[in-house]
Amino acid sequence: MNQTRFLEPFQAFSAGPGIIVDDITKASVSCCSQRYGSPDCEKNTLISDTSRSTKLGQLSMQERSLGIHELHGVADVEVETPELLKEKLDETSRIADSFENDDRLTPYRSAIKTNQEYVDRIKLLCLRADYHDCEKAAARLVSFFAFKKAIFGDKKLTREITMDDIETDEKRAIEDGLCQLLPGKDRAGRAVLVADGKMSSETGVDQVCRAIYYVLMAAIRDEEVQKKGIVFVLNMIGQTKFHSDRPSKLASLFSLFPARLAAVHLCYDHSILGVAVNMVAESMNAHYLCRFRSHYGSRMECLFQLMTFGIPKDVWPFNMESDEPDLEAHHRWLKALRAREKKSQVSTAIGESLSTKPSGNGGDVAAPGPMDIVMGRGRHAKTSIGYLRFRDLVEKYRGEYDNSERFEKVVVANIVFRELRRQGCRFVKNTAHGVQVQSDLVAMEKISHAFRNIRLIKTSRRGRKSVARSVAFPKS
């Protein structure tokens, strides 16, 4: 094993500035085309076939298939058992501890001495991000702490970053929609992170990294996101600035995060930006290249192309007419996130033990997924796949529930609960502290309530029909 391989992403992040394609002109295009080739937007061309084949040839057939499946949201989720996790976590620790001495190992070793529990949580995230590959997870683990120290310093190395830790300019960038977590997941149940390319071009790379760090680390508190990954969309529609060093640094950023990047999409509407797309593709390694797609066209055309990859249209955070960001849902999410941070700070102050894992009373969710049953009102609450399956199961067992004694009704409700759990459905609720998974007890109460409610609806409908019939055909 190459003992210094874990340093490569961090070195790429620390690289110097690149050229800027500003107010793109023919002169800049001819200069860049000598290296990256002319764009062919109609064919949605990336790098040359030779270069692309060379990179993808580094992957095995299994790795390439996994990349394509993740891009389209049809990849299987790895099965975890407590025994497997313990074995993998121990092996990851052993590999990380075996790295040769280097100054950039110091943050990781310092973190172990300061807060072992926090390091263990990050280790689990890294393991899930790298498909339970212990060697890659160990490299990501050590790189993460070196990266975090570089952008936040020693004092914040082993604690969660809150909005209070973010500088004023970065707070403003986050609130203005530099990067947003969509309020709904894609069809595979993955969180979708959308970055505004126009804003990122006008913001320093360190500020962009800190802003994305804050949003992304909040997203991966959701265990489902840890296992299924994140879809990243860079919206460059209407953009006239492009930093050539940004693609490599952003790609390195995701290599340093304890999060799985399942797919990358880039949207643009200026034909000359095909050169920039080639730069993005060329800066990617084989792992990310097979998970990358660019989309050229108008705002609506790009959105329709994203929909073919399972990204929902109804939660897209940009106005179709002006492409200005729609920040209403984003601000609600930030408000809930801040409320949760304050609650955590109070709990820590009074000595309560905190954990990012879902407890028996529920856990944090980045956004409702397609299989989630949202408790409350709203269109998503009645149209998600999870709700439709819940409704069908209640209808299926309604007769058995109505004809059962009181104790047997609990058994029937438990059958529905177990079937929903087997299909991957969860009961979630929007609260002041964000979207939270509800406990098994709350789920059982909701199922029993649904049985009683549907019986009342049926009875009420029969009553109305009887009254209508008696009015229309009164007895003589």
Side-chain angles (χ1 to χ4, degrees):
M1 180 182 69
N2 185 356
Q3 298 284 350
T4 60
R5 195 186 67 171
F6 72 93
L7 299 177
E8 294 173 3
F10 184 72
Q11 288 170 342
F13 170 77
S14 305
I19 62 170
I20 299 178
V21 181
D22 189 2
D23 296 326
I24 306 168
T25 61
K26 292 182 179 180
S28 63
V29 171
S30 61
C31 176
C32 294
S33 297
Q34 294 177 6
R35 177 176 179 186
Y36 297 104
S38 300
D40 187 353
C41 300
E42 304 235 343
K43 297 181 179 179
N44 200 21
T45 306
L46 296 178
I47 53 180
S48 67
D49 291 340
T50 303
S51 179
R52 181 181 177 86
S53 299
T54 301
K55 284 192 174 184
L56 295 181
Q58 300 169 8
L59 301 175
S60 65
M61 287 298 297
Q62 183 179 2
E63 291 172 330
R64 195 180 303 184
S65 296
L66 176 61
I68 297 299
H69 289 167
E70 286 202 329
L71 176 66
H72 292 275
V74 294
D76 296 328
V77 179
E78 300 93 338
V79 177
E80 289 184 353
T81 63
E83 296 77 16
L84 174 66
L85 280 181
K86 185 179 185 306
E87 178 186 347
K88 294 290 186 178
L89 289 170
D90 291 343
E91 179 65 12
T92 301
S93 298
R94 188 193 64 77
I95 294 174
D97 293 339
S98 69
F99 284 131
E100 295 176 355
N101 290 329
D102 189 283
D103 290 341
R104 281 159 287 194
L105 275 169
T106 304
Y108 166 69
R109 291 174 177 167
S110 175
I112 291 177
K113 295 176 182 178
T114 306
N115 192 340
Q116 179 67 54
E117 182 182 357
Y118 178 79
V119 175
D120 290 340
R121 291 206 302 267
I122 299 299
K123 190 189 306 174
L124 176 60
L125 298 179
C126 291
L127 196 62
R128 286 171 171 165
D130 285 306
Y131 314 91
H132 298 149
D133 186 317
C134 297
E135 183 180 337
K136 292 180 180 178
R140 187 186 294 263
L141 176 66
V142 175
S143 296
F144 169 78
F145 283 104
F147 165 73
K148 188 175 182 182
K149 178 184 176 181
I151 63 172
F152 289 111
D154 284 321
K155 293 182 179 179
K156 303 171 186 176
L157 187 61
T158 57
R159 66 179 178 85
E160 303 292 345
I161 300 300
T162 66
M163 187 62 81
D164 294 336
D165 300 314
I166 304 294
E167 299 293 335
T168 303
D169 291 343
E170 293 154 10
K171 285 182 184 178
R172 190 178 299 111
I174 294 173
E175 292 171 350
D176 290 345
L178 170 64
C179 54
Q180 297 187 52
L181 189 69
L182 296 195
K185 296 179 180 176
D186 73 350
R187 66 184 172 204
R190 302 174 300 188
V192 182
L193 185 66
V194 179
D196 188 338
K198 191 182 299 184
M199 285 190 64
S200 65
S201 294
E202 299 168 354
T203 309
V205 66
D206 290 346
Q207 286 72 30
V208 171
C209 290
R210 278 190 280 267
I212 293 179
Y213 179 99
Y214 178 75
V215 176
L216 191 144
M217 291 301 287
I220 59 176
R221 293 177 184 177
D222 185 348
E223 187 173 349
E224 184 180 39
V225 175
Q226 297 171 19
K227 295 178 179 179
K228 293 184 177 180
I230 288 178
V231 176
F232 180 68
V233 182
L234 179 59
N235 181 33
M236 294 175 63
I237 293 177
Q239 184 173 340
T240 58
K241 279 187 178 181
F242 179 75
H243 294 252
S244 67
D245 67 324
R246 290 295 169 87
S248 60
K249 289 190 175 182
L250 288 178
S252 300
L253 185 66
F254 283 103
S255 300
L256 297 164
F257 273 132
R260 178 184 304 179
L261 187 60
V264 183
H265 298 274
L266 190 153
C267 302
Y268 65 107
D269 62 345
H270 199 305
S271 60
I272 306 302
L273 275 176
V275 174
V277 175
N278 282 351
M279 291 180 182
V280 173
E282 187 170 278
S283 69
M284 291 181 173
N285 60 26
H287 175 86
Y288 290 123
L289 184 58
C290 68
R291 291 166 171 79
F292 172 71
R293 288 295 182 273
S294 63
H295 310 287
Y296 171 74
S298 66
R299 300 177 181 91
M300 189 61 71
E301 288 172 336
C302 287
L303 182 55
F304 283 154
Q305 291 179 53
L306 291 173
M307 288 172 62
T308 65
F309 290 89
I311 297 175
K313 172 188 175 184
D314 55 336
V315 293
W316 183 245
F318 291 94
N319 187 292
M320 285 295 100
E321 299 297 328
S322 63
D323 206 49
E324 291 298 320
D326 180 359
L327 302 174
E328 182 180 352
H330 180 58
H331 286 165
R332 282 200 309 268
W333 179 78
L334 285 176
K335 182 179 179 180
L337 185 58
R338 288 174 179 171
R340 186 162 60 236
E341 289 173 354
K342 291 180 180 178
K343 181 181 177 182
S344 298
Q345 290 169 357
V346 172
S347 300
T348 304
I350 63 177
E352 291 184 9
S353 176
L354 299 176
S355 173
T356 58
K357 297 181 182 180
S359 65
N361 295 322
D364 295 332
V365 175
M371 300 303 295
D372 289 335
I373 304 162
V374 182
M375 298 173 62
R377 301 180 182 274
R379 192 179 66 81
H380 180 86
K382 300 296 183 284
T383 59
S384 69
I385 299 174
Y387 175 82
L388 296 177
R389 292 190 179 182
F390 171 47
R391 188 185 65 182
D392 290 344
L393 283 172
V394 170
E395 185 66 35
K396 176 181 177 181
Y397 288 96
R398 181 174 64 87
E400 186 176 344
Y401 184 88
D402 290 342
N403 297 326
S404 300
E405 299 295 331
R406 184 174 180 179
F407 174 76
E408 293 173 337
K409 291 182 187 295
V410 177
V411 176
V412 175
N414 189 52
I415 292 173
V416 174
F417 171 74
R418 290 182 178 277
E419 181 62 21
L420 288 170
R421 177 68 64 82
R422 186 187 67 79
Q423 295 181 19
C425 299
R426 306 177 298 182
F427 286 87
V428 302
K429 186 176 182 180
N430 287 297
T431 70
H433 300 97
V435 183
Q436 294 187 328
V437 180
Q438 300 302 292
S439 65
D440 294 351
L441 179 61
V442 173
M444 286 289 290
E445 290 175 352
K446 178 67 175 177
I447 294 169
S448 299
H449 175 75
F451 276 120
R452 293 192 299 269
N453 194 44
I454 197 172
R455 182 173 57 194
L456 290 173
I457 292 174
K458 297 287 185 183
T459 304
S460 176
R461 286 176 178 173
R462 284 198 297 269
R464 286 199 299 269
K465 287 179 181 179
S466 177
V467 172
R469 190 179 298 111
S470 63
V471 172
F473 304 100
K475 293 181 180 180
S476 56

